[in-house]
């Protein structure tokens, strides 16, 4: 009797245990289903967030491109104009005047050509000091590049050099890409840092944000200058995220003026033949006191992509053409679509090149209003 009672108790206990395990099993299954649902929900939310960010980026890019500028404006002048300066300080200041004029009128490229071209001419080497003939082109190019570079990057790219001995007297360009740490434009210029990064991640870049670095989407060689698009500014973060873009992206996407590039040319002819643009310059203007008066010339070119305005030195473009053996012509007007005198009835016997640049760009801007400025 007692055995039967014990067996019954054991049976009931087993049944209760079975019910408990079944309940636990069902609870576990319910918990797993809940986890799966939560995981799926998080995945869906993450995907929706990613899609929204992509849509916002597309809308942002579309709105930016409405104000973009696809065309460029270049100027060319001989570096020999520095030889007329009476001291090293004035020589430096003259180059600074060229840079200021270029930035004021949104010049995208400055070409320095050799006015006394010969087969032995070279655009290589270093300026050896005032009085050394033939090196003014290199000194002017170096000063122009120095001024165009944002201040926080100059130590990385311009070591001490005698050409830049008097750079401290130059007026700052104050261009849009010369930003302060607190400025928050989408784009910034930077230099790739020699800092270790985790595998699969891009390089760190100094973009002039104080102690904040920017991690880009590519692994690049340290010391390279890059244009970076910042994803989002956040003062609380030590490292910001960004991506490398073309130097022309700020101009093409947002219509921002983003400084100028500098090119050295062996002669007047190579200004045209060595253009960095595949299609070359499709709109060219030469300036000379022997050209047609700008008051009577009607410029009707409205669809250019790459415009070029060329200035002569002390002896004018005629002297530059005469010294270029490769061109084989004596009439400079044949090189250009328009050959104009931008300051007719001048009161001085001569107009200096740095003055001619300001006068010409101001005069031609009225003729081309709206054609090279952002729409």
């Amino acid at each position: 009797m007692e055995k039967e009672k014990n067996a019954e108790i054991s049976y009931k206990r087993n049944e209760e245990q079975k019910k408990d395990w079944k309940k636990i099993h069902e609870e576990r299954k319910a918990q797993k289903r809940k986890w799966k649902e939560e995981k799926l929900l998080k995945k869906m939310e993450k995907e929706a967030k990613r899609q929204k960010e992509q849509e916002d980026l597309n809308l942002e890019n579309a709105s930016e491109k409405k104000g973009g500028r696809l065309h460029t404006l270049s100027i060319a002048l001989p570096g020999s104009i520095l030889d007329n300066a009476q001291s090293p300080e004035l020589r430096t200041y003259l180059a600074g005047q060229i840079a200021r004029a270029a930035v004021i009128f949104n010049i995208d490229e400055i070409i320095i050509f050799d006015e006394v071209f010969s087969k032995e001419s070279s655009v290589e080497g270093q300026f050896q000091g005032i009085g050394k003939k033939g090196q003014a082109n290199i000194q002017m190019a170096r000063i122009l590049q120095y001024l165009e570079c944002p201040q926080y990057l100059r130590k990385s790219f311009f070591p001490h050099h005698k050409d830049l001995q008097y750079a401290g007297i130059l007026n700052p360009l104050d261009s849009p890409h010369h930003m302060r740490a607190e400025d928050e434009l989408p784009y910034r210029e930077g230099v790739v840092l020699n800092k270790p990064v985790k595998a699969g991640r891009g390089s760190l870049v100094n973009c002039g944000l104080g102690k904040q670095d920017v991690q880009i989407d590519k692994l690049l060689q340290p010391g390279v200058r890059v244009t970076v698009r910042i994803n989002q500014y956040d003062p609380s973060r030590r490292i910001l995220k960004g991506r490398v873009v073309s130097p022309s992206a700020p101009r093409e996407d947002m219509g921002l003026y983003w400084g100028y590039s500098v090119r050295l040319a062996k002669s007047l002819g190579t200004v045209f033949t060595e253009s960095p643009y595949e299609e070359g310059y499709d709109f060219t203007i030469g300036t000379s006191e022997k050209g047609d008066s700008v008051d009577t010339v009607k410029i009707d070119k409205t669809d250019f992509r790459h415009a070029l305005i060329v200035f002569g030195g002390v002896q004018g473009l005629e002297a530059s053409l005469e010294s270029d053996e490769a061109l084989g012509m004596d009439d400079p007007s044949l090189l250009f679509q328009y050959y104009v005198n931008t300051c007719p009835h001048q009161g001085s016997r001569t107009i200096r090149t740095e003055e001619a640049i300001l006068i010409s760009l101001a005069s031609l801007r009225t003729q081309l209003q709206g054609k090279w400025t952002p729409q």
Side-chain angles (χ1 to χ4, degrees):
M1 188 74 180
E2 188 175 343
K3 287 183 179 179
E4 292 178 357
K5 188 176 180 181
N6 290 338
E8 186 178 352
I9 292 172
S10 178
Y11 174 78
K12 289 181 179 179
R13 187 183 297 120
N14 289 337
E15 286 297 317
E16 288 175 357
Q17 286 178 347
K18 284 181 181 179
K19 289 179 181 178
D20 291 341
W21 280 111
K22 187 176 181 181
K23 184 179 179 181
I24 291 170
H25 183 64
E26 288 177 351
E27 287 177 352
R28 284 179 177 176
K29 285 177 69 176
Q31 185 65 41
K32 284 183 179 179
R33 281 197 301 271
K34 185 179 179 182
W35 286 342
K36 284 183 180 180
E37 289 173 357
E38 288 177 351
K39 187 176 180 181
L40 181 62
L41 187 61
K42 286 181 180 179
K43 187 177 180 181
M44 292 174 64
E45 289 176 350
K46 188 175 181 180
E47 181 63 22
K49 184 179 179 182
R50 188 193 66 78
Q51 289 181 353
K52 187 177 185 304
E53 287 177 350
Q54 186 62 43
E55 288 173 1
D56 291 343
L57 182 62
N58 292 339
L59 287 171
E60 184 181 356
N61 290 338
S63 65
E64 286 174 357
K65 288 182 179 179
K66 289 180 182 178
R69 175 169 65 91
L70 298 179
H71 37 266
T72 66
L73 180 61
S74 304
I75 61 172
L77 66 151
S80 60
I81 64 171
L82 291 190
D83 291 330
N84 297 318
Q86 297 169 338
S87 69
E89 294 91 338
L90 290 176
R91 192 180 179 100
T92 301
Y93 192 76
L94 174 54
Q97 287 179 290
I98 303 297
R100 284 285 303 170
V103 169
I104 288 170
F105 288 98
N106 299 334
I107 300 300
D108 301 297
E109 180 193 27
I110 304 177
I111 307 131
I112 311 300
F113 64 88
D114 195 340
E115 193 177 32
V116 288
F117 170 75
S118 68
K119 292 180 180 178
E120 291 77 28
S121 293
S122 172
V123 293
E124 304 298 330
Q126 292 186 347
F127 174 67
Q128 301 298 324
I130 192 166
K132 300 292 183 180
K133 189 175 181 181
Q135 298 299 320
N137 302 320
I138 297 166
Q139 187 190 21
M140 177 178 280
R142 182 174 285 111
I143 295 172
L144 291 176
Q145 288 176 329
Y146 174 83
L147 283 173
E148 186 278 336
C149 183
Q151 290 88 334
Y152 57 86
L153 296 179
R154 287 175 181 170
K155 287 184 179 179
S156 301
F157 297 107
F158 295 93
H160 181 74
H161 195 281
K162 66 181 72 175
D163 287 0
L164 303 173
Q165 182 179 0
Y166 299 103
I169 68 174
L170 298 175
N171 296 315
L173 300 187
D174 205 19
S175 180
H177 68 301
H178 288 198
M179 285 186 282
R180 299 160 185 83
E182 63 272 14
D183 293 338
E184 294 189 358
L185 275 177
Y187 298 97
R188 275 185 173 268
E189 290 295 293
V191 58
V192 179
L193 299 172
N194 189 15
K195 289 185 177 181
V197 293
K198 293 182 179 178
R201 295 193 179 182
S203 302
L204 293 173
V205 177
N206 171 21
C207 289
L209 291 168
K211 295 182 179 180
Q212 282 185 311
D213 294 332
V214 179
Q215 189 155 48
I216 55 176
D217 56 338
K218 296 179 182 178
L219 194 63
L220 301 178
Q221 182 178 352
V224 175
R225 178 174 167 177
V226 290
T227 304
V228 177
R229 171 151 189 147
I230 309 292
N231 292 350
Q232 184 180 7
Y233 285 93
D234 185 351
S236 65
R237 297 184 62 180
R238 174 67 183 83
I239 296 177
L240 301 180
K241 297 292 184 180
R243 66 180 190 272
V244 176
V245 297
S246 166
S248 62
R251 168 177 57 83
E252 294 177 350
D253 293 343
M254 296 183 66
L256 290 171
Y257 176 63
W258 212 246
Y260 53 77
S261 61
V262 180
R263 176 163 67 92
L264 285 167
K266 291 183 179 180
S267 66
L268 178 59
T270 55
V271 169
F272 300 88
T273 59
E274 296 178 0
S275 170
Y277 309 110
E278 288 185 12
E279 60 272 41
Y281 302 105
D282 57 347
F283 181 41
T284 57
I285 298 175
T287 62
S288 171
E289 62 178 7
K290 297 179 181 179
D292 299 324
S293 171
V294 71
D295 298 332
T296 59
V297 173
K298 183 179 180 182
I299 297 176
D300 55 3
K301 186 77 173 178
T302 60
D303 57 350
F304 66 83
R305 285 297 306 275
H306 306 294
L308 171 67
I309 304 174
V310 182
F311 301 89
V314 177
Q315 303 298 323
L317 280 175
E318 292 76 15
S320 301
L321 184 63
E322 186 178 347
S323 67
D324 192 336
E325 304 161 5
L327 286 175
M329 61 175 67
D330 55 7
D331 185 359
S333 65
L334 300 176
L335 281 174
F336 308 98
Q337 290 168 291
Y338 296 93
Y339 194 57
V340 297
N341 178 359
T342 56
C343 189
H345 315 298
Q346 62 195 56
S348 173
R349 291 189 182 90
T350 57
I351 294 179
R352 299 172 65 89
T353 303
E354 65 272 23
E355 297 167 341
I357 291 174
L358 284 169
I359 294 169
S360 299
L361 293 176
S363 299
L364 294 170
R365 187 176 184 276
T366 60
Q367 292 272 27
L368 299 173
Q369 182 69 40
K371 298 183 179 67
W372 76 53
T373 53
Q375 300 298 308

